[in-house]
């Protein structure tokens, strides 16, 4: 990924054309695809879009201050409504697991529209740049971009203005010609703008909004580190050696409970050792029931059993449970100076009942 | 080495209790194949194991779900362990013994051993004699108990199996196919 805008037009053009190609391809046999393929396709689409946005974003960040920033913020506040709309439009495509064909088509077309906008933006940049460097690489693309774009700017002078406009919005403020462009734009603005430019600007606003929108989602996706998932069902129980025993908590009818620490994550847990002394008929069915039901119970008011770990010789079996500071019985017996207040009793009762229900 | 990397980078470790779909790598070079058992031999062993479980289940008058569960557990186990180090017969016994408990129709371990003894005699064409309660019986019993534990350990105690059979019937009803032959075949 290029860090600054300079020296990358060829690469941009490349990536861009490939996108374009896939775009067409998808369009042609869209109907044939099945649901599953649709999902995959949307996923691909989304990543494509994200890459492209990353591309777009980079030069934006390099720019410390410009008149556009302010404008940009204004638009942001102005177009809250639009933004939320866009969010609504985009989110179902990613989250919905099952979508009907029609819906998918709708979403896809929306995405395509939006993408085509970005494409035009990119292309305008490209063409602008190629004008500057006198590399004539884009003439075969430009007409296509025009036909694709929603902004139906018909005459060539408007197109010129657009070219001057867009680099300012997503700028590379390095060379003088662009400065002149911005000057020109300022002139235009002070001249209290004509209709076409207004439409153009709204288009650009939408673009920036979209960019921000997707940027945020990209950040959300990339930030949290992926946890390693350990599947007990295929990888087997972990060993009790993974935990460091801290102290014994209590001994109940079914087993002894220890406080322990996970050596890898440093989390405190409670280890309950199942009593297996009288096992003349294999693993006791009562313990099996207990383990099975507790593993299935996922409720905020039921102590969570995370996994089962075994001793080195398969002789001891422990349930790993979340560690809870107090238990109600000992609290009521020893720990309290005054009995619970009515409100506390109500709260406890509610929790108890919702756990049982 | 993996432990140290975990510590140094402070990656979250999440323990999942779901039964995930097996990856291709887990499925194809099976543990038995790594111990130089050819694929077709392993296939046969699996087949025999499941047949043993099925016959034993019928002799023990178990519901069909118990046999199905036992067979699933049996298959799953041999995707993480090899047939070389874990004798098939004991694990077939352990699988059905465990599945009787899971499906809440418990049978005594002695009954299971008895039934398997009987099947073995029938298969080899010997004269059918009652099982002797002697040293070898106790050894076998301990082996089955051990196998059961290892089965539980390797499956991470995630032993509750959801069977597709019920779904078949529901789907067939939804599609209004009431022919018994079709549902029988699908089953």
């Amino acid at each position: 990924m290029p860090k600054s805008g300079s020296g990358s037009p060829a690469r941009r053009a490349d990536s861009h054309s490939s996108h374009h190609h896939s775009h067409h391809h998808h369009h042609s046999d869209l109907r044939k695809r099945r649901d599953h393929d649709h999902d995959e396709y949307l996923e691909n689409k989304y990543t494509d879009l994200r890459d492209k946005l990353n591309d777009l974003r980079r030069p934006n960040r390099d720019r410390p201050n410009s008149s556009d920033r302010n404008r940009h913020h204004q638009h942001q506040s102005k177009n809250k409504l639009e933004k939320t709309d866009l969010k609504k439009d985009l989110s179902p495509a990613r989250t919905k697991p099952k979508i009907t064909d029609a819906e998918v088509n709708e979403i896809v077309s929306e995405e395509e529209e939006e993408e085509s906008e970005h494409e035009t933006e990119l292309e305008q940049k490209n063409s602008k740049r190629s004008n500057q460097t006198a590399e004539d690489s884009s003439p075969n693309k430009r007409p296509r971009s025009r036909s694709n774009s929603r902004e139906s700017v018909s005459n060539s002078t408007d197109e010129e203005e657009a070219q001057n406009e867009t680099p300012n919005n997503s700028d590379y403020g390095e060379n003088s010609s662009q400065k002149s462009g911005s000057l020109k734009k300022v002139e235009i603005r002070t001249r209290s703008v004509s209709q076409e430019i207004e439409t153009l600007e709204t288009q650009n606003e939408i673009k920036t909004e979209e960019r921000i929108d997707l940027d945020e989602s990209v950040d959300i996706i990339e930030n949290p580190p992926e946890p390693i998932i350990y599947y007990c069902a295929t990888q087997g129980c972990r060993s009790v050696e993974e935990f460091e025993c801290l102290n014994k908590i209590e001994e109940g009818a079914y087993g002894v409970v220890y406080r322990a620490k996970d050596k890898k994550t440093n989390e405190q847990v409670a280890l309950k050792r199942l009593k297996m002394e009288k096992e003349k008929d294999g693993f006791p069915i009562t313990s099996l029931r207990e383990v099975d039901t507790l593993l299935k119970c996922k409720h905020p008011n039921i102590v969570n059993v995370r996994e089962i770990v075994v001793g080195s010789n398969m002789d001891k079996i422990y349930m790993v449970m979340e560690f809870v500071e107090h238990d109600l019985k000992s609290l009521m017996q020893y720990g309290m100076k005054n009995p619970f207040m009515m409100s506390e009793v109500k709260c406890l009762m509610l929790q108890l009942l919702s756990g049982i229900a | 080495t993996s432990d140290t990397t975990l510590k140094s980078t402070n990656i979250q470790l999440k323990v999942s209790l779901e039964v995930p779909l097996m990856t291709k790598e887990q499925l194809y070079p099976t543990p038995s194949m790594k111990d130089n058992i050819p694929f077709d031999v392993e296939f046969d062993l699996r087949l025999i194991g499941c047949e043993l479980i099925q016959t034993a289940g019928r002799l023990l008058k178990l519901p069909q779900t118990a046999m199905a569960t036992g067979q699933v557990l049996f298959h799953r186990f041999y995707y993480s362990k090899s047939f070389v180090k874990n004798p098939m017969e004991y694990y077939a016994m352990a699988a059905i013994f465990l599945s009787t408990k899971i499906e809440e129709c418990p049978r005594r371990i002695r009954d299971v051993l008895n039934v398997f003894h009987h099947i073995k005699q029938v298969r080899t064409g010997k004269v059918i004699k009652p099982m002797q309660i002697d040293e070898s019986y106790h050894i076998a019993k301990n082996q089955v108990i051990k196998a059961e534990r290892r089965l539980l350990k390797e499956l991470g105690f995630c032993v509750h199996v959801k069977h597709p059979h019920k779904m078949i019937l529901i789907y067939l009803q939804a599609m209004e196919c009431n022919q018994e032959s079709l549902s029988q075949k699908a089953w």
Side-chain angles (χ1 to χ4, degrees):
Chain A
M1 204 80 66
K3 270 185 184 163
S4 67
S6 60
S8 62
R11 196 197 164 280
R12 256 165 212 275
D14 262 348
S15 69
H16 174 259
S17 64
S18 73
H19 281 312
H20 223 282
H21 173 74
S22 62
H23 185 96
H24 266 266
H25 168 71
H26 287 316
H27 208 65
S28 60
D29 60 358
L30 201 60
R31 291 287 152 93
K32 293 175 207 161
R33 286 164 188 278
R34 296 183 166 265
D35 264 2
H36 169 72
D37 289 30
H38 271 305
D39 285 353
E40 208 173 335
Y41 166 57
L42 281 177
E43 194 61 41
N44 287 339
K45 199 94 187 166
Y46 175 58
T47 45
D48 271 0
L49 209 58
R50 200 174 61 179
D51 288 347
K52 204 173 286 183
L53 282 165
N54 273 336
D55 250 354
L56 276 174
R57 178 170 55 158
R58 240 153 261 266
N60 254 352
R61 291 263 162 97
D62 293 340
R63 173 188 53 184
N65 56 344
S66 73
S67 59
D68 288 320
R69 264 281 187 245
N70 292 331
R71 203 152 61 90
H72 184 256
H73 279 296
Q74 279 172 13
H75 297 328
Q76 205 170 356
S77 54
K78 251 192 271 173
N79 289 353
K80 274 271 159 66
L81 263 176
E82 249 171 337
K83 189 175 171 177
T84 49
D85 268 356
L86 281 165
K87 258 188 184 164
K88 265 181 214 162
D89 284 348
L90 282 173
S91 54
R94 277 181 248 119
T95 51
K96 258 191 200 172
K98 295 217 166 174
I99 327 172
T100 64
D101 277 19
E103 272 178 310
V104 168
N105 279 340
E106 239 179 61
I107 292 160
V108 166
S109 64
E110 269 167 23
E111 282 201 1
E112 273 170 7
E113 263 176 19
E114 171 201 311
E115 194 171 323
S116 72
E117 271 179 41
H118 289 296
E119 274 169 15
T120 48
E121 201 175 2
L122 263 174
E123 252 162 64
Q124 280 165 357
K125 259 184 261 162
N126 271 342
S127 56
K128 169 80 181 170
R129 211 106 46 71
S130 59
N131 279 347
Q132 283 165 8
T133 52
E135 265 179 24
D136 212 4
S137 65
S138 60
N140 49 343
K141 282 181 218 152
R142 264 172 77 182
R144 219 198 294 167
S145 86
R146 257 181 237 165
S147 64
N148 258 350
S149 61
R150 261 203 299 201
E151 33 191 313
S152 53
V153 188
S154 49
N155 51 24
S156 58
T157 51
D158 281 347
E159 184 68 29
E160 283 288 319
E161 275 166 5
Q163 279 179 17
N164 284 334
E165 186 98 2
T166 35
N168 271 324
N169 236 347
S170 51
D171 83 334
Y172 303 87
E174 285 167 44
N175 31 26
S176 57
S177 64
Q178 273 175 336
K179 269 182 196 169
S180 75
S182 72
L183 275 177
K184 191 178 171 186
K185 192 202 68 198
V186 170
E187 272 176 35
I188 291 164
R189 295 198 111 207
T190 45
R191 254 192 283 148
S192 93
V193 209
S194 69
Q195 193 69 36
E196 288 87 349
I197 292 166
E198 201 120 89
T199 53
L200 259 180
E201 276 198 14
T202 49
Q203 287 295 329
N204 282 332
E205 277 163 30
I206 291 167
K207 275 178 221 160
T208 46
E209 292 310 328
E210 276 170 4
R211 198 183 302 151
I212 291 159
D213 195 316
L214 278 163
D215 274 1
E216 276 168 13
S217 61
V218 165
D219 281 345
I220 289 163
I221 289 162
E222 282 171 358
N223 272 340
E226 285 279 309
I228 296 172
I229 299 177
Y230 184 92
Y231 288 105
C232 296
T234 51
Q235 289 164 280
C237 291
R238 295 201 291 164
S239 163
V240 76
E241 311 285 316
E242 306 268 342
F243 294 88
E244 186 187 331
C245 186
L246 296 174
N247 61 292
K248 189 169 163 179
I249 299 172
E250 213 178 343
E251 185 163 350
Y254 276 97
V256 196
V257 187
Y258 301 92
R259 190 166 67 97
K261 197 174 77 178
D262 192 322
K263 283 178 185 169
K264 275 176 191 155
T265 57
N266 278 334
E267 283 173 299
Q268 268 196 15
V269 292
L271 284 183
K272 178 173 173 181
R273 200 182 82 204
L274 300 173
K275 276 187 176 167
M276 306 257 299
E277 273 86 62
K278 27 139 190 150
E279 30 120 313
K280 62 177 194 310
D281 238 11
F283 195 85
I285 189 169
T286 47
S287 307
L288 197 68
R289 278 191 207 128
E290 186 188 5
V291 169
D292 205 36
T293 32
L294 278 174
L295 283 177
K296 266 189 267 177
C297 286
K298 288 270 170 284
H299 191 277
N301 295 123
I302 295 175
V303 69
N304 186 23
V305 175
R306 298 207 206 153
E307 58 178 318
I308 312 291
V309 292
V310 291
S312 52
N313 204 15
M314 272 309 293
D315 49 349
K316 293 181 178 102
I317 289 164
Y318 302 85
M319 286 202 278
V320 183
M321 301 193 269
E322 61 178 316
F323 183 71
V324 187
E325 283 291 330
H326 298 285
D327 72 308
L328 191 61
K329 188 185 161 203
S330 56
L331 203 66
M332 280 160 71
Q333 272 177 345
Y334 317 109
M336 293 187 52
K337 285 167 189 162
N338 304 310
F340 283 119
M341 288 188 300
M342 185 62 110
S343 58
E344 286 169 338
V345 172
K346 278 182 185 171
C347 178
L348 283 169
M349 205 60 212
L350 188 73
Q351 289 183 29
L352 269 170
L353 290 176
S354 76
I356 298 167
Chain B
T1 48
S2 63
D3 290 14
T4 50
T5 51
L6 273 172
K7 262 177 201 168
S8 58
T9 51
N10 211 6
I11 300 168
Q12 276 189 304
L13 184 83
K14 194 180 155 199
V15 178
S16 171
L17 297 170
E18 281 173 45
V19 181
L21 284 179
M22 292 270 193
T23 58
K24 262 186 186 167
E25 293 77 45
Q26 281 172 308
L27 283 181
Y28 187 56
T30 59
S32 308
M33 284 167 81
K34 284 171 195 160
D35 280 340
N36 294 324
I37 288 187
F39 183 76
D40 52 334
V41 174
E42 184 188 342
F43 189 80
D44 285 345
L45 277 171
R46 281 174 189 272
L47 219 66
I48 293 166
C50 285
E51 262 180 29
L52 276 177
I53 290 172
Q54 180 65 28
T55 354
R58 296 188 80 169
L59 288 173
L60 288 165
K61 295 191 177 119
L62 293 174
Q64 182 59 44
T65 45
M67 277 94 97
T69 305
Q71 286 161 354
V72 169
L73 299 180
F74 179 79
H75 273 302
R76 273 197 209 157
F77 177 78
Y78 282 111
Y79 278 114
S80 48
K81 287 282 177 263
S82 140
F83 276 102
V84 173
K85 291 157 204 157
N86 307 281
M88 181 270 287
E89 209 178 339
Y90 286 132
Y91 279 89
M93 285 191 228
I96 193 151
F97 182 48
L98 183 58
S99 70
T100 59
K101 291 179 196 168
I102 295 165
E103 301 297 338
E104 298 290 341
C105 47
R107 296 288 184 275
R108 287 188 306 162
I109 194 163
R110 186 174 164 164
D111 296 339
V112 175
L113 282 166
N114 239 332
V115 162
F116 269 78
H117 179 75
H118 177 82
I119 296 170
K120 203 174 181 180
Q121 282 179 331
V122 171
R123 275 178 167 260
T124 48
K126 282 180 188 165
V127 188
I128 293 166
K129 280 184 284 185
M131 187 174 62
Q132 298 296 310
I133 308 294
D134 54 8
E135 194 61 29
S136 67
Y137 164 77
H138 288 289
I139 291 171
K141 187 179 156 183
N142 283 334
Q143 286 293 326
V144 173
I145 290 172
K146 226 180 235 172
E148 185 197 21
R149 291 236 195 129
R150 301 210 39 197
L151 208 62
L152 278 170
K153 185 204 163 202
E154 288 310 322
L155 303 178
F157 283 81
C158 306
V159 287
H160 203 88
V161 184
K162 271 187 189 155
H163 292 297
H165 303 83
K166 207 189 274 176
M167 299 308 290
I168 291 176
L169 289 186
I170 291 169
Y171 284 147
L172 283 174
Q173 260 173 16
M175 291 187 293
E176 292 171 359
C177 302
N178 293 325
Q179 304 164 35
E180 199 160 300
S181 58
L182 182 64
S183 47
Q184 192 66 47
K185 201 146 206 170
W187 187 287

